[in-house]
Amino acid sequence: MGVSKNFFLDNPDLRFQIESLPWEDIAPYIAPFPAEQDAIKSRGAELREQAKEFLTTLGEYIATQIAPYAKELDEQHPREDAGEVYDAPRMKKIVEGFGQLGAPALCLPAHCGGMDAPWLMVAIIMELLARADTSVATFFGFHDGPAHTLLTQALEDGEFEHEDGVLTKTPWDDIVRGIAERGEFGAMVLTEPGAGSDLAVIATKATLAADDTWRINGSKIWITCGHGEHLLVLARSEEKGASPGLKGLSLFYVPAHVTKDGKRVRNVELGTIEKKMGQSSLVTATLNFNDSEARLVGQRGHGFRLMLLFMNSARLAVGFEGIGICEAALRMAVDFAKERVTMGKPIIEHEMIADFIDDMESSIAAMRALAYRASIDEELASRISYFLKVKPPQNEKERMALEKKAKQKKRDARIKTPLVKYLGSEEGVRMTRLAMQIMGGVGYMKEYGAEKLLRDSLIGPIYEGTSQIQSLMVLKDHLQRAMRNPALFLAAHAKAKLETVHSLDSVHAAYARIKSIYFSAVQTILTQMVVDKFGDLKGQPLLHFKPAFLASWNPKKDFSFGLLHAERFTKIAAMRAASKELVRQADAKKGESEYAFRRQVAERYMNRSEPRMRGLLLEIEHTRTSIFRRPGQKKHTKHEAHANS
Ligand SMILES: Cc1cc2nc3c(=O)[nH]c(=O)nc-3n(C[C@H](O)[C@H](O)[C@H](O)COP(=O)(O)OP(=O)(O)OC[C@H]3O[C@@H](n4cnc5c(N)ncnc54)[C@H](O)[C@@H]3O)c2cc1C
């Protein structure tokens, strides 16, 4: 099978994305903040060249120093000794090598030993690494992740100093420096035995001791890189009565070790190290906190808000991880299908196999287009917010316009992030399964790596918020957007319908049909929710629903029909969003040599997506009511479940 020497240079679609990223849009918000058009343009070009140069080096390193050891990583496990946990030998070697290349410091600030590169680079590296091995990609995420979270808090809450916009001090510099310069890493510590998707029931307690220091008590489970030094822990600091649920949570920095009587001792006890179906080399640990010393991050009661800020980029990163897995699956499948001959020809020439591969190729291009756009939105949102703090435009009108832009980018990133996470992780599972099928019996054997890819992919839809939790977020955001301005929504729907008939451009007509299906899904869900609430309102326009609907809105009951279809709807919304980006990328190349090819990529993806979306819409339309309102339908209660077991 083909062995790549460079994961960046051998990937034309990835190189196209890097080339097309609007680096010039970020340039004005990176110190020294170029203002003139020429300076912005040349800074943008410089950022693009730097990225390509770094990715070329990294692409070679990953292809030659990490990918060949994927099997070894799969067979090795972390080692426990005297209360400490040590990485498996191959993982240790890879992480050290990666540190020497400077990758963990890439996007951290220069005053802490970092290179101040855009966060986008983390996303790209996640894709490259995951193509080699997902456990390495995830481990890499736990270098940048904790540092990124602490810095985000300092910037959000204005706890920093700067010189001409260049960061010079934050309260977290020692920790960030340890990550950038000393190869340290950390973990994000949320989950408990009773609290996974539902973080509102977190029980781990944070108490302010008489000496004004915080102490943490409780247990957390399944913590990736739980053997790391820098732990960011979500714990309950407020009384339940006054601040129930998520409002009672604060974020804490907890060092894994402290110095007592001149000796370095554990501040947090390491419990069980899990054996998992994939990512074997990666530590997944129980952490026990027994009066562990802690430092509050940000303000009391703001823990969940801060965690959400971090989760946006963490979820994007998991989406990118999914794209890397898909790329690995595709390449493995294509290599095999070119060589394996059945019925007189290579299986890649059999229609069904060729169709699988075509599906994989166009879906990967679509995911990539969407994911890179989402990362640019995220990058711009945080960079403009920082710029507004350190160099706000003196002209009031300009300042207000920039504030509006920052808010818009934040909204754009928020809308796209769960779609990227959902699509990347679910497609990872689908495509590794397809690769296994293409490889037949060889795919099932451990020796060839396809079954490892499938095992590794299965965590994507679970961590950083399950696919169902992403779907709830997608549904809520999209329905709210339609309800906020029903007139605008209906006008957009009508316009899309008209375009399906009148657009002379085949790519735009295809996208209009895609949009129209999406709008129909929103309208069907909203209408059925109203019918569920008020009875038969057939024939009444959506515009009339809003006042009555919102007047007595009960999210627990009234959302029921939407909740039933949240995942189907998310698939529709994701295919629509990815199609939009492919069309945008094709249009941007008008007049250039790549134009015809990019149109073809968009068309191939939309030709597959349209019937899939129609099928999902049909499923939604044919379920006339919420599952709990169907005649004879009984809710399974906890009591019954126990009685049956
Ligand atoms: C390998 C691994 C690594 C992990 N790493 C970390 C880590 O580093 N830090 C950390 O804090 N946690 C970590 N986790 C925990 C992970 O984030 C949780 O497993 C995840 O959030 C889901 O929680 P749960 O497993 O308790 O499932 P539950 O919340 O019990 O959910 C069970 C099922 O019900 C569904 N569900 C739940 N609520 C709803 C709803 N309202 N509507 C519809 N469906 C719903 C879920 O989608 C899921 O399918 C890790 C887990 C694993 C397996």
Side-chain angles (χ1 to χ4, degrees), residues 582-596:
L582 285 179
V583 174
R584 192 208 299 253
Q585 290 190 340
D587 286 349
K589 290 285 155 198
K590 206 167 191 163
E592 294 180 37
S593 58
E594 281 154 309
Y595 182 50

Side-chain angles (χ1 to χ4, degrees), residues 392-425:
Q394 297 306 303
N395 178 312
E396 165 110 0
K397 227 170 157 186
E398 273 178 36
R399 187 177 47 75
M400 280 167 63
L402 205 55
E403 279 168 3
K404 198 170 159 201
K405 186 170 172 185
K407 269 193 196 141
Q408 182 59 48
K409 290 293 158 197
K410 216 174 247 181
R411 264 200 303 273
D412 289 349
R414 185 193 148 104
I415 286 268
K416 291 189 189 92
T417 297
L419 296 176
V420 171
K421 169 31 171 108
Y422 181 88
L423 209 55
S425 51

Side-chain angles (χ1 to χ4, degrees), residues 215-408:
R215 301 284 161 161
I216 309 280
N217 283 285
S219 279
K220 298 280 187 177
I221 58 167
W222 304 339
I223 305 304
T224 307
C225 292
H227 62 322
E229 187 55 37
H230 306 297
L231 309 174
L232 286 168
V233 182
L234 207 52
R236 187 160 300 285
S237 59
E238 311 305 307
E239 288 304 323
K240 274 195 179 149
S243 303
L246 297 170
K247 287 185 194 149
L249 301 177
S250 300
L251 187 64
F252 292 90
Y253 169 74
V254 184
H257 297 85
V258 288
T259 305
K260 275 195 182 135
D261 304 326
K263 269 173 80 182
R264 189 171 184 262
V265 292
R266 270 216 155 261
N267 185 34
V268 180
E269 184 192 85
L270 273 166
T272 312
I273 306 301
E274 304 291 344
K275 297 268 186 294
K276 312 185 290 291
M277 74 182 292
Q279 301 195 339
S280 318
S281 287
L282 194 63
V283 173
T284 306
T286 295
L287 297 181
N288 298 317
F289 297 83
N290 303 306
D291 254 352
S292 307
E293 291 176 23
R295 196 171 144 191
L296 182 66
V297 182
Q299 294 172 45
R300 287 174 71 154
H302 283 210
F304 187 65
R305 180 184 72 86
L306 286 172
M307 203 41 99
L308 281 185
L309 286 175
F310 164 72
M311 270 186 187
N312 233 28
S313 43
R315 285 175 176 167
L316 283 177
V318 176
F320 277 92
E321 211 172 88
I323 298 173
I325 294 175
C326 291
E327 186 70 43
L330 169 67
R331 283 168 188 267
M332 201 179 271
V334 169
D335 282 351
F336 181 85
K338 279 182 186 163
E339 284 181 16
R340 177 68 174 169
V341 175
T342 71
M343 287 126 207
K345 56 184 179 184
I347 61 168
I348 203 161
E349 291 175 23
H350 290 307
E351 282 78 356
M352 277 185 276
I353 303 296
D355 186 47
F356 286 159
I357 287 171
D358 180 78
D359 180 6
M360 289 164 91
E361 273 174 7
S362 56
S363 301
I364 291 173
M367 275 191 285
R368 219 178 249 132
L370 176 62
Y372 281 90
R373 170 60 53 178
S375 310
I376 280 284
D377 289 342
E378 176 73 14
E379 184 90 40
L380 278 171
S382 57
R383 295 237 170 230
I384 299 176
S385 303
Y386 176 71
F387 180 80
L388 280 163
K389 285 192 172 116
V390 298
K391 206 173 185 240
Q394 297 306 303
N395 178 312
E396 165 110 0
K397 227 170 157 186
E398 273 178 36
R399 187 177 47 75
M400 280 167 63
L402 205 55
E403 279 168 3
K404 198 170 159 201
K405 186 170 172 185
K407 269 193 196 141
Q408 182 59 48

Side-chain angles (χ1 to χ4, degrees), residues 138 142 186-199 220-226 232 274 276-279 282-285 307 311 315 458-459 461-470 472 563 566-567:
T138 308
F142 284 95
M188 306 304 292
V189 187
L190 287 71
T191 305
E192 299 176 2
S197 303
D198 187 4
L199 296 174
K220 298 280 187 177
I221 58 167
W222 304 339
I223 305 304
T224 307
C225 292
L232 286 168
E274 304 291 344
K276 312 185 290 291
M277 74 182 292
Q279 301 195 339
L282 194 63
V283 173
T284 306
M307 203 41 99
M311 270 186 187
R315 285 175 176 167
L458 284 163
I459 186 58
I462 295 174
Y463 61 14
E464 288 303 341
T466 65
S467 287
Q468 290 66 47
I469 298 304
Q470 304 308 309
L472 295 183
L563 297 180
E567 194 162 349

Side-chain angles (χ1 to χ4, degrees), residues 486-506:
L488 202 68
F489 168 79
L490 290 172
H493 193 173
K495 187 165 172 262
K497 276 190 177 157
L498 276 176
E499 282 168 1
T500 61
V501 183
H502 294 294
S503 181
L504 297 175
D505 180 309
S506 62

